[in-house]
């Protein structure tokens, strides 16, 4: 090469610097251009580095429209072009490959997307090219293979990416959470930190979460996919708090919140039917993880996510009929399902689930009496809700007897007071004021010296009901206000159904005292929270009904018109529930507040 020769030497898609540097010219007037998917490879080899980023939304859309629209071709379709760019993550290689296929078949962008969604693997592997790209042998599938191969020596990274689509972001969240000893296992932190750099490299080269996730699924062999599922199940099981109840009470809510979305994503993978890859085989850690997560979601009143997690957990248990862990976990999941169905007003299904849980817990080779007592306690709450007060009392007294047999401990004292609290509710709803009063006074004294803000709120709530029933409205209001304060100031349960009921009770007092505008404001405030929980329509219905009664008392023509609409909405919600659960519907004149009360769980009456 002559000294004055001008030249450009291109090294495309470099994987190893050692195999490249030996070919660098040592003389001449030229330049070297090196492309690579490894962001750290160019450091030390070149004078400057330039990151080639994917197209943004507008650039990708414009590129697709420019390439896809040819003489006598398809009309411009900005919406479809934007959609395709999003699916391809703005990746130029993907755009040129897909547009070449589109043009070869004479298809519109919209029609191509329909076919592409049905079989992405097929389209990613088609190397058809057009224009200046003729002769370029790499397609989306083979380019990905190179990057995915770089993870073969890192099984943990394969596992984590196999489950999480936005892997790097989720891993960083997990790493930061696990680094704090209060939040999880340090081994999780060390594992995650060791893999972040690998996945950061992968994300820097495989633009687009959806596109990368799809292609990675095609890359993994069935045994690798199962290994990924097993490893992530174990990681999350180790990290997630394992208390059966009271994550809020025991101040574990923050830790649960860090991991719960990852658990939900894992469960979705398990539940999804996949004809290409087959189904996952659940592990014991997975089934137990679903049970702990289900209880936390119940405490949050996130019933949509809860239903999905319960479905995954119960399905897993049914696939492990010979495993020792299955009966106790199956019982716990049934217990949670029954407790949640009580809250939703599905009392028949709730009874079936709780009796199933009780039967299993009684029949275990080594019964855990605290678990049996807990299910008896929740059966008592259910029967209270069904106004079967005698059966409720039997269950609650048997639950309390189990608790008294336990060795003295703080946990035993907490359980006894919780059982006595439900006995007080039972007595109050049965009109036994003098039986309920000393129990509630004892519980107030007990919980005021504990950090259990949740139970303190519930005891104040029921005590408010007691004083309202005997006509002492000022004392009743004081207890409702204290319950509300515990929930929103201490516990920050601002959007919980119990918080809505505390406000509802204050509205009832205002209505009873003929403070109509104040009652209206309280009912609307309560309604705003109840509307966040469509899975519990009965509480919203009762609030709508009482708000309509308040507006009737106000008496203005516009208020009377609104009251009629609200009453119709309230009846629509309850009549739908009656039809769903085959409940007898009373005459219209008998549909008063007491009728709505029959659908509301005993905790909130």
């Amino acid at each position: 090469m002559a000294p004055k020769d001008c030249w450009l030497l291109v090294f495309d898609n470099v994987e190893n610097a050692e195999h490249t540097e030996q070919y660098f010219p040592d003389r001449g007037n030229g330049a070297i251009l090196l492309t690579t998917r490894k962001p750290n490879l160019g450091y030390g080899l070149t004078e400057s580095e330039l990151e080639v980023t994917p197209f943004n939304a507008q650039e990708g859309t414009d590129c697709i429209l420019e390439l896809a629209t040819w003489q006598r071709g398809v009309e411009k379709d900005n919406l479809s072009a934007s959609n395709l760019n999003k699916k391809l993550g703005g990746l130029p290689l993907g755009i040129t490959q897909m547009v070449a296929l589109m043009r070869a078949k004479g298809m519109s962008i919209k029609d191509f997307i329909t076919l592409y969604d049905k079989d992405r693997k097929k389209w990613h592997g088609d190397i058809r090219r057009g224009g200046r790209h003729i002769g370029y042998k790499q397609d989306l599938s083979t380019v990905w293979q190179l990057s995915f191969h770089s993870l073969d020596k890192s099984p943990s990274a394969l596992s984590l990416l196999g489950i999480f689509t936005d892997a790097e972001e989720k891993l960083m969240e997990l790493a930061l959470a696990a680094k704090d000893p209060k939040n999880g296992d340090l081994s999780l932190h060390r594992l995650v930190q060791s893999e972040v750099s690998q996945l950061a490299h992968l994300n820097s080269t495989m633009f687009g979460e959806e596109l990368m996730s799809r292609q990675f699924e095609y890359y993994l062999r069935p045994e690798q996919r199962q290994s990924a599922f097993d490893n992530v199940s174990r990681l999350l099981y180790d990290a997630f708090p394992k208390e059966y109840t009271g994550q809020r009470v025991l101040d574990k809510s923050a830790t649960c919140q860090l991991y719960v979305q990852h658990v939900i994503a894992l469960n979705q993978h398990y539940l999804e039917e996949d004809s290409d890859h087959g189904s996952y085989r659940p592990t014991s850690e997975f089934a137990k993880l679903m049970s702990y997560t289900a209880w936390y979601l119940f405490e949050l009143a996130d019933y949509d996510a809860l239903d999905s997690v319960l479905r995954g957990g119960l399905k897993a248990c049914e696939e492990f009929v010979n495993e020792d862990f299955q009966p106790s976990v199956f019982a716990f999941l049934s217990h949670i399902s029954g407790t949640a169905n009580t809250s939703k007003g599905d009392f028949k299904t709730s009874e079936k689930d709780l009796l199933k849980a009780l039967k299993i817990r009684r029949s275990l080779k080594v019964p855990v009496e605290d678990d049996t007592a807990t299910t008896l306690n929740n059966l008592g709450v259910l029967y209270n809700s069904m106004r079967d007060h005698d059966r409720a009392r039997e269950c609650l007294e048997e639950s309390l007897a189990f608790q008294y047999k336990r060795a003295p401990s703080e946990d035993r004292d907490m359980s006894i007071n919780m059982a006595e609290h439900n006995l007080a509710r039972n007595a109050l709803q049965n009109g036994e004021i003098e039986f309920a009063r000393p129990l509630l006074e004892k519980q107030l004294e007990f919980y005021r010296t504990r950090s259990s803000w949740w139970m303190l709120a519930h005891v104040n709530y029921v005590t408010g009901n007691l004083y309202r029933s005997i006509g002492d409205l000022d004392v009743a209001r004081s207890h409702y206000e204290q319950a509300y304060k515990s929930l929103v100031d201490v516990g920050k349960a601002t959007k919980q159904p119990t918080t809505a009921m505390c406000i509802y009770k204050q509205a009832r007092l205002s209505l009873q005292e003929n403070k109509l505008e104040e009652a209206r404001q309280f009912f609307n405030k309560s309604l705003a929270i109840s509307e966040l929980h469509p899975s519990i329509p009965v509480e919203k219905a009762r609030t709508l009904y009482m708000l309509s009664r308040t507006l009737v008392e106000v008496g203005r023509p516009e208020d009377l018109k609104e009251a009629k609409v609200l009453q119709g909405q309230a009846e629509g919600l309850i009549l739908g529930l009656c039809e769903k659960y085959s409940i007898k519907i009373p005459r219209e004149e008998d549909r008063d507040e007491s009728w709505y009360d029959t659908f509301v769980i005993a905790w909130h009456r």
Side-chain angles (χ1 to χ4, degrees):
M1 186 180 293
K4 293 184 179 181
D5 286 346
C6 294
W7 49 267
L8 172 65
L9 181 61
V10 178
F11 295 88
D12 186 33
N13 207 16
V14 176
E15 292 291 318
N16 191 322
E18 294 179 2
H19 298 159
T20 304
E21 198 169 5
Q22 58 180 310
Y23 297 106
F24 283 12
D26 57 4
R27 61 187 180 276
N29 182 24
I32 299 173
L33 176 63
L34 183 150
T35 68
T36 180
R37 292 184 303 280
K38 295 184 175 181
N40 294 325
L41 188 142
Y43 184 76
L45 287 179
T46 60
E47 294 182 356
S48 61
E49 300 169 69
L50 176 65
E51 181 181 4
V52 181
T53 60
F55 290 137
N56 62 30
Q58 189 59 54
E59 291 168 343
T61 300
D62 291 344
C63 180
I64 290 171
L65 290 173
E66 178 69 24
L67 294 175
T69 306
W70 60 93
Q71 188 176 10
R72 296 186 302 277
V74 299
E75 294 183 2
K76 287 192 174 184
D77 182 351
N78 288 70
L79 183 62
S80 295
S82 176
N83 187 14
L84 181 59
N85 180 61
K86 183 178 179 181
K87 290 177 180 293
L88 296 171
L91 187 63
L93 174 61
I95 289 174
T96 57
Q97 181 181 338
M98 295 305 110
V99 170
L101 292 165
M102 191 188 314
R103 293 186 61 159
K105 295 180 179 297
M107 301 173 65
S108 69
I109 302 173
K110 184 177 181 180
D111 289 343
F112 176 78
I113 289 174
T114 301
L115 290 179
Y116 174 76
D117 284 341
K118 289 180 179 178
D119 193 350
R120 298 188 186 196
K121 183 178 181 180
K122 169 188 172 182
W123 299 111
H124 291 175
D126 195 313
I127 60 173
R128 194 169 313 192
R129 291 288 181 271
R132 292 188 300 274
H133 299 285
I134 291 176
Y136 184 71
K137 300 300 183 182
Q138 302 293 341
D139 57 54
L140 276 175
S141 178
T142 57
V143 169
W144 258 303
Q145 294 287 99
L146 292 172
S147 286
F148 292 152
H149 278 317
S150 70
L151 296 180
D152 280 344
K153 295 181 180 179
S154 181
S156 299
L158 282 171
S159 296
L160 293 161
L161 185 58
I163 297 298
F164 299 137
T165 55
D166 50 343
E168 185 183 355
E169 178 183 349
K170 283 186 167 65
L171 283 171
M172 288 303 297
E173 291 175 5
L174 288 171
L176 291 173
K179 188 175 182 180
D180 186 345
K182 294 183 299 182
N183 291 335
D185 186 349
L186 282 174
S187 64
L188 175 63
H189 169 68
R190 287 190 290 269
L191 170 68
V192 169
Q193 287 289 70
S194 70
E195 309 304 345
V196 164
S197 61
Q198 286 274 11
L199 291 165
H201 152 59
L202 189 68
N203 277 0
S204 71
T205 61
M206 299 297 100
F207 309 117
E209 293 172 7
E210 181 180 355
L211 192 58
M212 180 176 68
S213 174
R214 291 281 185 176
Q215 192 63 35
F216 194 70
E217 287 182 1
Y218 304 142
Y219 173 77
L220 289 178
R221 299 186 301 275
E223 63 270 21
Q224 287 178 307
R225 294 180 75 249
Q226 182 63 48
S227 177
F229 181 85
D230 295 346
N231 289 339
V232 173
S233 296
R234 192 174 301 111
L235 280 172
L236 290 172
Y237 172 76
D238 289 342
F240 204 87
K242 297 175 179 57
E243 283 78 3
Y244 271 23
T245 59
Q247 278 92 337
R248 281 195 307 259
V249 176
L250 298 179
D251 198 28
K252 294 297 182 77
S253 180
T255 306
C256 294
Q257 191 60 36
L258 288 170
Y259 299 116
V260 66
Q261 293 305 317
H262 306 304
V263 178
I264 291 171
L266 179 70
N267 182 54
Q268 287 172 342
H269 277 272
Y270 172 62
L271 290 175
E272 285 175 356
E273 294 293 332
D274 191 329
S275 57
D276 290 332
H277 304 109
S279 57
Y280 291 107
R281 298 184 306 275
T283 61
S284 60
E285 287 89 353
F286 175 81
K288 293 173 185 176
L289 174 63
M290 293 304 107
S291 68
Y292 300 135
T293 305
W295 186 261
Y296 172 67
L297 291 169
F298 168 69
E299 287 191 337
L300 288 184
D302 186 348
Y303 291 102
D304 290 337
L306 171 62
D307 288 344
S308 176
V309 168
L310 284 172
R311 193 163 65 252
L314 290 168
K315 180 175 182 285
C317 287
E318 290 168 357
E319 294 184 14
F320 278 88
V321 293
N322 296 319
E323 293 287 336
D324 290 338
F325 78 87
Q326 186 269 340
S328 60
V329 178
F330 188 81
F332 185 34
L333 288 163
S334 298
H335 171 91
I336 299 168
S337 179
T339 306
N341 280 317
T342 300
S343 294
K344 291 189 285 187
D346 186 357
F347 298 149
K348 289 184 179 179
T349 304
S350 174
E351 183 180 27
K352 178 182 177 182
D353 290 338
L354 289 172
L355 288 174
K356 184 191 304 179
L358 183 63
K359 181 179 180 180
I360 296 172
R361 287 179 162 177
R362 288 190 191 276
S363 65
L364 292 175
K365 293 179 181 179
V366 183
V368 181
E369 291 186 343
D370 189 29
D371 292 349
T372 303
T374 302
T375 300
L376 283 166
N377 178 78
N378 287 15
L379 270 169
V381 173
L382 168 66
Y383 291 133
N384 260 348
S385 302
M386 297 170 67
R387 298 181 182 268
D388 189 344
H389 300 303
D390 291 339
R391 290 181 73 186
R393 177 72 63 89
E394 290 176 7
C395 290
L396 294 170
E397 287 180 343
E398 186 179 358
S399 172
L400 193 57
F402 272 114
Q403 301 295 356
Y404 275 117
K405 292 178 183 178
R406 296 173 58 191
S409 67
E410 177 67 14
D411 184 66
R412 171 183 178 271
D413 292 342
M414 289 279 286
S415 296
I416 287 173
N417 275 276
M418 290 176 71
E420 289 182 341
H421 172 69
N422 286 319
L423 268 177
R425 287 180 183 274
N426 172 267
L428 184 59
Q429 290 168 2
N430 209 25
E432 302 174 61
I433 304 296
E434 296 310 314
F435 181 89
R437 192 198 300 263
L439 287 175
L440 291 170
E441 290 174 350
K442 175 191 172 186
Q443 290 149 27
L444 282 172
E445 182 179 355
F446 177 82
Y447 287 115
R448 281 170 180 159
T449 61
R450 304 300 194 280
S451 61
S452 182
W453 54 268
W454 182 252
M455 281 306 302
L456 180 61
H458 272 272
V459 176
N460 270 305
Y461 180 87
V462 178
T463 306
N465 287 346
L466 184 148
Y467 281 101
R468 180 179 168 228
S469 69
I470 62 177
D472 195 337
L473 303 189
D474 290 337
V475 177
R477 187 180 293 278
S478 174
H479 282 287
Y480 290 142
E481 289 173 348
Q482 290 178 63
Y484 178 77
K485 184 177 178 63
S486 291
L487 292 167
V488 301
D489 289 350
V490 181
K492 306 300 182 185
T494 55
K495 298 178 180 180
Q496 290 293 307
T498 299
T499 306
M501 292 303 100
C502 285
I503 301 169
Y504 173 88
K505 291 294 185 178
Q506 293 181 69
R508 287 296 287 112
L509 290 179
S510 298
L511 181 59
Q512 201 167 335
E513 295 170 335
N514 205 37
K515 299 176 181 177
L516 299 181
E517 186 54 38
E518 183 178 271
R520 180 178 189 169
Q521 292 175 6
F522 274 128
F523 280 131
N524 277 318
K525 188 176 179 181
S526 176
L527 191 59
I529 299 174
S530 295
E531 287 177 339
L532 300 174
H533 303 282
S535 297
I536 318 177
V538 292
E539 295 175 359
K540 177 182 177 181
R542 182 173 66 169
T543 306
L544 283 169
Y545 174 78
M546 292 309 300
L547 177 57
S548 75
R549 296 299 89 203
T550 302
L551 295 178
V552 168
E553 291 295 321
V554 173
R556 295 190 296 260
E558 61 272 21
D559 293 316
L560 293 174
K561 184 177 180 180
E562 184 181 356
K564 187 175 182 179
V565 172
L566 294 176
Q567 184 172 347
Q569 292 175 353
E571 289 193 353
L573 288 170
I574 295 297
L575 292 177
L577 202 66
C578 290
E579 182 177 352
K580 182 177 181 180
Y581 300 127
S582 302
I583 300 172
K584 184 178 179 181
I585 300 174
R587 296 175 302 174
E588 187 171 350
E589 57 267 26
D590 294 329
R591 300 174 194 172
D592 56 9
E593 184 181 15
S594 63
W595 179 61
Y596 285 90
D597 270 344
T598 62
F599 294 93
V600 177
I601 183 174
W603 287 330
H604 293 158
R605 283 187 186 149

